[in-house]
Amino acid sequence: MKYRELGRTGWKVSEVSFGAWAIGGAWGKVDDDESLAALRKAVEMGVNFIDTADVYGDGRSERLVAQVRREHKGEKIYVATKAGRRLNPHTSEGYNRKNLTTFVERSLKNLRTEAIDLLQLHCPPTEVYYRPEVFGVLDDMVEAGKIRYYGVSVEKVEEALKAIEYPNVQSVQIIFNMFRHRPAELFFEQAKKRRVGILARVPLASGMLTGKFKPDTKFTSDDHRKFNRHGEAFDRGETFSGVDYDVGLKVVEKLREICQAKMSMVQFALRWILMFDAVTCTIPGAKRPSQAEENFSTSDLPKLSEKTMAQVRDIYDHQIRELVHHYW
């Protein structure tokens, strides 16, 4: 496992880290014993950064992460969580001192810790980025010792650019994968200038980039890949990165043709992300140890060739760009 610096925190985190959305829920059937085994496998392979959120399984994910961290007390494992999506309705006004304090206290309890390593605002409405007082609340939480650092998880590049204007934002979590190239343009350059860490989320486009889906693949009713394809529950860009299912299948076949030897499609997709030095880490999910092993072994694989990178870009430009580029 290789490690990269996270913002200005001084932390060196595993370049392929653990995204803990799937072990919480909304990805079909999940088994806590298997989830714990996947987390343990990740740590065994050198993962020292886990990303979760208070709404993943209504705290289930946070509690599982806490259990594994307690089992590895002798190792430094950084845990990032998120706050804001418990709001109903999810409005800008809800991002206030009272609500954020309540959310943080709940996460502290779930994570069984006195201070959250990295707290991220959880894809708040765009207006929140134009309210300095919200970031002032986070500054106060740092001063009070409730959180060590803070960042944001965003839907859009424009939100990311606005967020990093606040001097104490240490990280931005944003969708970046073979279906979503736009962050690599202006935003990556600006983040590097300000030494802001980048967490590349949804790296496998909700599993589409694994190459394991077919036209007749079925998803259960509790899986967002069934109930949120058109944004029925939350932003549609979260599901298959906003790409139509059938279009995604066709593009994956084109990517399969250029996948480098001795790499699975999963590893190809993750290795592509790691080719961008602005990225601190990517955070694929894993519900089983076998998935964890495939994900985290990517760090040991050789870089992609310039030819392959150009081919991926060409496929994006001709098959995907017009579908997603200007939305997020």
Side-chain angles (χ1 to χ4, degrees), residues 143-327:
E143 188 173 346
K146 296 292 185 180
I147 62 178
R148 293 188 172 91
Y149 298 103
Y150 64 82
V152 295
S153 181
V154 303
E155 298 284 5
K156 301 176 181 179
V157 168
E158 290 79 6
E159 294 168 343
L161 288 167
K162 183 61 182 175
I164 64 176
E165 291 182 6
Y166 295 97
N168 294 324
V169 167
Q170 294 286 348
S171 65
V172 172
Q173 188 173 148
I174 191 167
I175 296 178
F176 180 60
N177 58 45
M178 287 176 164
F179 284 178
R180 293 277 283 272
H181 291 205
R182 192 175 178 216
E185 296 177 354
L186 177 62
F187 172 59
F188 278 15
E189 175 191 344
Q190 294 302 315
K192 285 176 68 174
K193 284 182 180 178
R194 296 171 187 260
R195 294 183 63 203
V196 172
I198 294 174
L199 313 183
R201 66 189 185 93
V202 196
L204 301 175
S206 309
M208 178 65 76
L209 289 168
T210 66
K212 297 172 183 176
F213 296 163
K214 297 178 172 59
D216 60 352
T217 297
K218 303 295 183 186
F219 299 97
T220 58
S221 60
D222 61 345
D223 191 322
H224 75 98
R225 293 170 292 188
K226 180 178 178 66
F227 67 74
N228 191 59
R229 289 196 184 184
H230 305 288
E232 296 91 335
F234 40 81
D235 189 271
R236 69 183 178 88
E238 300 280 346
T239 303
F240 304 128
S241 298
V243 176
D244 175 80
Y245 185 79
D246 292 328
V247 171
L249 290 177
K250 293 175 183 176
V251 174
V252 166
E253 289 311 306
K254 291 184 178 295
L255 290 168
R256 196 189 302 275
E257 293 174 5
I258 63 170
C259 181
Q260 293 193 186
K262 298 183 179 179
M263 281 189 191
S264 68
M265 285 293 289
V266 168
Q267 293 168 332
F268 183 36
L270 297 178
R271 196 67 193 83
W272 179 85
I273 293 170
L274 297 178
M275 292 295 291
F276 296 82
D277 63 0
V279 171
T280 303
C281 66
T282 183
I283 48 172
K287 293 199 292 185
R288 295 180 291 279
S290 59
Q291 292 175 332
E293 188 159 8
E294 184 176 21
N295 291 345
F296 304 122
S297 60
T298 302
S299 183
D300 299 325
L301 296 176
K303 292 182 177 181
L304 303 182
S305 67
E306 290 185 12
K307 178 183 177 181
T308 299
M309 293 297 289
Q311 288 173 317
V312 173
R313 182 70 182 188
D314 186 66
I315 291 171
Y316 174 83
D317 286 342
H318 288 90
Q319 305 291 328
I320 297 291
R321 174 181 283 271
E322 67 177 0
L323 303 176
V324 302
H325 197 78
H326 299 291
Y327 288 100

Side-chain angles (χ1 to χ4, degrees), residues 128-141:
V128 168
Y129 300 100
Y130 292 85
R131 295 177 53 209
E133 66 273 19
V134 175
F135 296 86
V137 170
L138 298 178
D139 287 330
D140 290 344
M141 288 184 175

